[in-house]
Amino acid sequence: HVQLVESGGDSVQTGGSLRLSCVASVYIYSLDCMAWFRQAPGKEREGVAAIGTDGSTTYADSVKGRFTISRDNAKKTLYLQMNNLKPEGTAWYYCAPGPSRYGTCLLSPSLYNNWGQGTQVTVS
């Protein structure tokens, strides 16, 4: 059972930047996919970005070109660099491990488990 702790959430203005971190209790190189999700009030959880063991990445269309996912295996840490934040980015952000499908890390929340407690991002 992987335990995850997210951090880095804050309140920022539109156009600002944040870097989220997710520290795992195990070495994340052993996990096929690591991903970030977010859930806004009254909305379903949605996938934001995912990264595979080979460094391949998948992004939601809404964040392409603005967000960058990365992983530091030695530090057991997953990151999400968020630039040019928009008000619709206001949400709780979660990380989770999951399996690859067809050689790709997909962004469907149903494929992931062992959610962390989340970190809150507010963009105004």
Side-chain angles (χ1 to χ4, degrees):
H1 180 77
V2 180
Q3 293 182 320
L4 303 161
V5 178
E6 300 95 336
S7 64
D10 205 344
S11 295
V12 297
Q13 293 186 336
T14 298
S17 297
L18 283 174
R19 188 175 82 155
L20 305 184
S21 299
C22 167
V23 180
S25 60
V26 300
Y27 283 103
I28 58 176
Y29 64 75
S30 64
L31 304 171
D32 283 351
C33 299
M34 289 291 296
W36 285 99
F37 297 83
R38 65 187 180 189
Q39 188 164 16
K43 295 188 177 181
E44 293 186 353
R45 190 167 297 187
E46 64 174 356
V48 174
I51 187 168
T53 53
D54 62 354
S56 58
T57 55
T58 305
Y59 293 95
D61 288 343
S62 59
V63 306
K64 282 181 181 177
R66 299 187 298 117
F67 290 13
T68 302
I69 188 171
S70 61
R71 58 199 293 171
D72 186 327
N73 292 330
K75 294 183 178 179
K76 304 178 183 179
T77 303
L78 180 73
Y79 300 101
L80 184 67
Q81 177 67 43
M82 306 187 295
N83 298 327
N84 190 20
L85 281 160
K86 302 179 179 181
E88 51 265 40
T90 294
W92 280 87
Y93 284 72
Y94 303 87
C95 63
S100 62
R101 287 289 184 266
Y102 318 111
T104 301
C105 293
L106 303 178
L107 293 176
S108 175
S110 63
L111 295 175
Y112 293 78
N113 53 26
N114 288 343
W115 302 96
Q117 86 290 347
T119 186
Q120 189 172 20
V121 173
T122 302
V123 186
S124 59

